[in-house]
Amino acid sequence: QVQLVESGGGLVQPGGSLRLSCAASGRILSLNEMGWYRQAPGKQRELVAAIISGSSTKLADSVKGRFTISRDNAKNTVYLQMNNLKPEDTAVYYCNAKGVAVTGLRGFDAWGQGTLLTVSS
């Protein structure tokens, strides 16, 4: 079983910065993709950023130029650096990891519990 533990989140003023972290643990053979999704009240969950195979990244158009995703492969940890935050960034942010587990060599698609980011003055 794979677990994702998120940290960060909180209340930030518009224009401020914050960093989210997510550490994956468990019997992991390989981590193919790690990323962040968010869900605002009344809206569907959407992809914010993802890093694939440790190097290739994808970012939602709404966060390009403001958010950066990075990964520490040795720690199985992904980071989301968020700058110039806007009220519309307010949402619950979920960490996601896709890979292969040692047990049975099965693929997994794991989610964190979510962390709330509120951008408000």
Side-chain angles (χ1 to χ4, degrees):
Q1 189 173 1
V2 176
Q3 298 84 34
L4 301 181
V5 178
E6 301 153 339
S7 59
L11 175 62
V12 181
Q13 291 187 341
S17 298
L18 201 67
R19 190 178 80 158
L20 303 180
S21 301
C22 172
S25 63
R27 296 177 59 78
I28 299 170
L29 180 63
S30 65
L31 273 174
N32 301 327
E33 180 175 328
M34 295 189 77
W36 293 92
Y37 290 70
R38 67 186 180 187
Q39 187 166 18
K43 294 188 177 181
Q44 289 188 331
R45 190 174 297 189
E46 61 175 0
L47 173 68
V48 178
I51 187 163
I52 302 163
S53 298
S55 57
S56 176
T57 62
K58 48 186 176 183
L59 288 166
D61 288 342
S62 59
V63 305
K64 285 180 179 177
R66 300 189 297 122
F67 291 11
T68 303
I69 188 168
S70 61
R71 177 175 161 179
D72 185 332
N73 291 326
K75 297 181 179 179
N76 284 344
T77 299
V78 65
Y79 306 96
L80 184 67
Q81 177 65 43
M82 304 180 290
N83 299 325
N84 190 21
L85 284 162
K86 303 176 180 180
E88 50 264 42
D89 295 318
T90 295
V92 177
Y93 284 71
Y94 296 91
C95 179
N96 174 258
K98 300 178 177 68
V100 179
V102 171
T103 304
L105 299 180
R106 292 182 176 179
F108 65 83
D109 186 350
W111 292 90
Q113 77 282 2
T115 185
L116 177 62
L117 168 67
T118 302
V119 183
S120 175
S121 55

